[in-house]
Amino acid sequence: MNVATADDDRREHGALGSREAEEQALVEALRRGDEAAFTALIDRYHGSLVRLALMHVPNRQAAEDAAQETWMAVVRGIERFEGRSSLRTWLFRILLNRAKAKGVAERRQVPVSSLDGSDGDDDAVDPSRFFDQSSRWAGFWSTPPQPWDEIPEDRLLGKEVRTLIEEAVAALPRAQREVITLRDIRGLTTAEVCAVLDLSEGNHRVLLHRARTKVRARLEAYLTPTKGSHP
């Protein structure tokens, strides 16, 4: 298992108890018709729902419509919510169903995401950065990723880097884009992402690894330019 992924999983389990208690209190408030609780839920997730819907529908209006339909479904269905999944997993699954249906209704071709993690695209990392099969170090890095320890924090957190990350994520194949958006940007757990996207844990790991690797490659090219060039 990748060390970073193992650390992610440990953090997930550590926060699970408090999150479940908070969610149960929220569900009970929603069932009581607490408008403040419903408003807080919308404030927390509406933007995320719209951005996820945009992966399946042709324009922002259609994405907003899908999000609005999701909120109506929550109002109508909260009494039947049994807690078999987390509230946000349920929320994102409703949204995806609405968005996919809208995409089909608008006669857009919705490509079927490959579940083997390949997406039909190129290698996540340029093969030339590894020793070839003729070397005793075949499969190991010949040109490893550059460390960023000496890069000023304000540059790493700057607007240009944030924009670059957004562009890199937007350029990913959709299956990878969905996984990294839910996992790293929206903060869902591995189990929640698998439930929302109907993925096995193995497929989730492959897609997330590919997505993170491609985004890192874009950042690496920007943050560690070749000699004589300027970012």
Side-chain angles (χ1 to χ4, degrees):
M1 178 185 292
N2 182 282
V3 173
T5 305
D7 290 340
D8 288 343
D9 289 343
R10 282 193 289 270
R11 283 193 292 270
E12 287 176 17
H13 293 305
L16 194 58
S18 60
R19 186 184 301 131
E20 287 179 346
E22 178 185 350
E23 180 170 292
Q24 183 57 40
L26 176 58
V27 170
E28 291 174 358
L30 292 172
R31 285 174 174 163
R32 293 195 304 268
D34 187 327
E35 292 186 13
F38 188 63
T39 299
L41 190 67
I42 292 175
D43 289 343
R44 183 184 301 180
Y45 289 114
H46 185 78
S48 298
L49 296 181
V50 171
R51 284 186 284 271
L52 186 58
L54 280 168
M55 298 181 194
H56 297 272
V57 298
N59 53 61
R60 188 172 184 87
Q61 184 57 57
E64 289 282 356
D65 290 345
Q68 291 295 340
E69 291 178 11
T70 298
W71 293 123
M72 292 302 298
V74 169
V75 171
R76 292 192 296 265
I78 191 64
E79 287 295 337
R80 299 188 300 278
F81 176 67
E82 298 178 355
R84 294 177 182 175
S85 63
S86 70
L87 181 63
R88 63 180 176 179
T89 297
W90 181 59
L91 188 62
F92 280 113
R93 291 198 71 167
I94 293 172
L95 181 280
L96 275 179
N97 288 336
R98 296 296 191 279
K100 288 178 180 179
K102 282 187 175 297
V104 172
E106 302 214 15
R107 299 181 180 179
R108 295 184 66 246
Q109 182 179 356
V110 181
V112 178
S113 299
S114 169
L115 295 185
D116 63 3
S118 67
D119 283 322
D121 63 341
D122 54 2
D123 293 302
V125 180
D126 184 350
S128 68
R129 297 185 65 176
F130 299 93
F131 289 103
D132 62 31
Q133 295 302 314
S134 64
S135 170
R136 63 178 293 190
W137 302 107
F140 286 84
W141 289 100
S142 60
T143 309
Q146 296 297 310
W148 297 342
D149 297 351
E150 298 180 2
I151 298 175
E153 184 177 350
D154 59 346
R155 187 179 175 202
L156 285 172
L157 300 178
K159 182 178 179 179
E160 289 185 12
V161 170
R162 294 198 303 272
T163 299
L164 182 68
I165 291 172
E166 291 173 0
E167 292 174 349
V169 170
L172 294 170
R174 191 169 68 194
Q176 295 176 21
R177 190 164 75 248
E178 288 179 334
V179 170
I180 198 172
T181 296
L182 291 174
R183 186 72 178 81
D184 289 348
I185 300 176
R186 304 305 157 213
L188 272 66
T189 65
T190 296
E192 287 174 327
V193 175
C194 290
V196 170
L197 300 178
D198 195 22
L199 293 173
S200 69
E201 186 172 332
N203 288 330
H204 163 275
R205 290 189 188 283
V206 170
L207 291 167
L208 184 60
H209 170 71
R210 282 177 168 268
R212 285 174 171 174
T213 300
K214 291 177 183 177
V215 172
R216 181 187 171 90
R218 288 283 301 275
L219 283 172
E220 184 181 357
Y222 173 80
L223 293 170
T224 56
T226 57
K227 183 177 290 188
S229 65
H230 298 280

